[in-house]
Amino acid sequence: MRVLFVGDIYGEEGVSFLKENIEEIKKKYKINLVVANAENACNGYGITTKIYKDLMKMGVCAITMGNHAFSNKEIDTLLAENANIVVPINFPTYAKNGYLKVKYNDKTLMVINALGRVYMNMALDCPLRMVKEIIEKEKADYYLVDFHAEATSEKKALGYYLDGINGAVVGTHTHIPTADETVLDNGTLYITDVGMTGPYDGVIGVEKEIVLETFLTGRKQKHIVAKGRRQLNAVMLDFDNKKIERINIKEN
Ligand SMILES: [Fe+2]
Ligand SMILES: [Fe+2]
C-alpha cells in the first residue's frame, strides 16, 4: 500500500496548490490513498465544511488535525456527521474522534492523530500511552500516526515507542520539513516533520511583516495568510516495501 501524507494545509493557498499538483503526484508515485493534515486550512485556523468537501473531491480519504482542530466551529458539525476527520486523540473527551479506519481493497489503514505536550501549553492526556493503547486494541493492516508536536525530541521518542507497527509515524505542526526520513529498526517509517502546504514567502504561513512586528514589539498581531509563492510538502509512504520519500515542491 502506497499512501501520500500531505503536511499542514495552510489557507486557500495550500488548498489550491494541492489541487493543482495532486493528480500528477498520485500518478508519479502510484498512490493508493491520500491523507492530509488540514488544521490550518481555513485562513490558518481549523477547517470548514466547504474545505472538507473540496479535499474529499481531490481524493483525500482522511484528514488529520492538531492544536487548531477546534479553531473553527464547523468541526463540531463535521465530527457529528462522522466526516473522515480525526482530531488529536489525547484531547480530553475526544479520544473516540482520534482515530479512523479507511478501507483499500481488502486492507485496512488506521489513521491516528495525537498532539505533543512539550511547549504546547494545553491540557492534554499522554499521547504515547493513548496512541499505543488504541493500536493494541484496534486491529488494522496498516497504521499511520500523525504526531502533531513542537519538540523534535518528543516526536522521535514516539517514533521509537511505536517502532514495530506496520506503518508510519509522521510529524507535523512546525511547518518546516525535516530531512530525517528513515526506516526505524523494526520497520516503521518515520519523519520528524513533513512541513506545510501553503504560502512559501512568509513565516510558517503568516505574512512576514506581521510576525516581525510581533517579535519587535512584543504585541500579538492578527495573523494574515502570506501572499506570493506557494509550496507543497508531503511524504510518500510505501508500507509493504518499507520506503519513505519526501516530496517538496515550490513555485518559482
Ligand atoms: Fe499547523
Ligand atoms: Fe499546529
Side-chain angles (χ1 to χ4, degrees):
M1 164 130 34
R2 290 164 78 94
V3 174
L4 177 74
F5 179 84
V6 182
D8 302 41
I9 299 170
Y10 201 105
E12 177 48 33
E13 283 74 3
V15 177
S16 62
F17 201 48
L18 178 64
K19 192 173 180 183
E20 288 163 33
N21 285 282
I22 195 163
E23 287 311 318
E24 205 179 314
I25 296 172
K26 277 191 212 166
K27 222 183 287 161
K28 183 175 173 191
Y29 292 90
K30 299 185 176 69
I31 297 297
N32 303 123
L33 292 173
V34 182
V35 178
N37 181 301
E39 70 140 11
N40 307 114
C42 177
N43 299 316
Y45 298 93
I47 189 169
T48 60
T49 304
K50 188 194 170 296
I51 295 169
Y52 172 75
K53 285 182 179 163
D54 286 348
L55 294 174
M56 288 293 130
K57 268 186 228 152
M58 288 180 215
V60 175
C61 68
I63 290 168
T64 56
M65 299 294 282
N67 53 309
H68 285 298
F70 301 101
S71 297
N72 188 297
K73 290 267 172 283
E74 291 186 32
I75 187 83
D76 294 322
T77 315
L78 285 162
L79 291 178
E81 290 171 351
N82 292 320
N84 294 333
I85 297 181
V86 286
V87 298
I89 195 165
N90 51 331
F91 253 114
T93 79
Y94 279 91
K96 70 174 189 336
N97 300 109
Y99 64 97
L100 179 74
K101 286 180 186 171
V102 184
K103 279 251 172 231
Y104 183 76
N105 292 334
D106 60 335
K107 301 288 185 200
T108 313
L109 167 70
M110 186 156 141
V111 179
I112 308 165
N113 191 199
L115 257 177
R117 295 196 290 190
V118 178
Y119 305 131
M120 216 38 115
N121 198 21
M122 296 167 85
L124 299 163
D125 296 321
C126 177
L128 283 79
R129 291 185 183 88
M130 289 199 75
V131 172
K132 193 156 208 165
E133 268 169 34
I134 202 71
I135 287 173
E136 282 168 358
K137 207 172 102 195
E138 297 280 336
K139 289 281 158 272
D141 297 296
Y142 305 99
Y143 297 91
L144 171 54
V145 180
D146 170 2
F147 192 31
H148 197 82
E150 195 80 63
T152 49
S153 59
E154 196 177 12
K155 294 193 239 194
K156 192 90 198 204
L158 182 75
Y160 281 126
Y161 190 59
L162 298 179
D163 186 18
I165 61 168
N166 189 13
V169 176
V170 297
T172 56
H173 177 68
T174 71
H175 295 189
I176 304 291
T178 56
D180 64 336
E181 72 275 17
T182 189
V183 183
L184 298 174
D185 302 343
N186 298 306
T188 299
L189 309 177
Y190 174 85
I191 185 166
T192 297
D193 208 295
V194 176
M196 65 175 276
T197 296
Y200 180 78
D201 296 308
V203 178
I204 62 171
V206 181
E207 280 283 5
K208 53 184 177 297
E209 291 77 11
I210 292 172
V211 179
L212 267 171
E213 183 74 8
T214 303
F215 280 117
L216 287 168
T217 64
R219 296 176 63 162
K220 240 187 175 330
Q221 315 289 321
K222 195 179 179 308
H223 283 181
I224 296 171
V225 179
K227 307 268 178 304
R229 294 182 295 174
R230 296 167 297 169
Q231 61 177 325
L232 186 156
N233 290 298
V235 279
M236 187 284 293
L237 306 161
D238 186 335
F239 295 141
D240 300 308
N241 297 305
K242 305 286 177 213
K243 252 185 84 182
I244 175 168
E245 197 174 326
R246 265 189 295 133
I247 300 168
N248 310 113
I249 303 169
K250 84 170 194 271
E251 276 184 318
N252 291 318

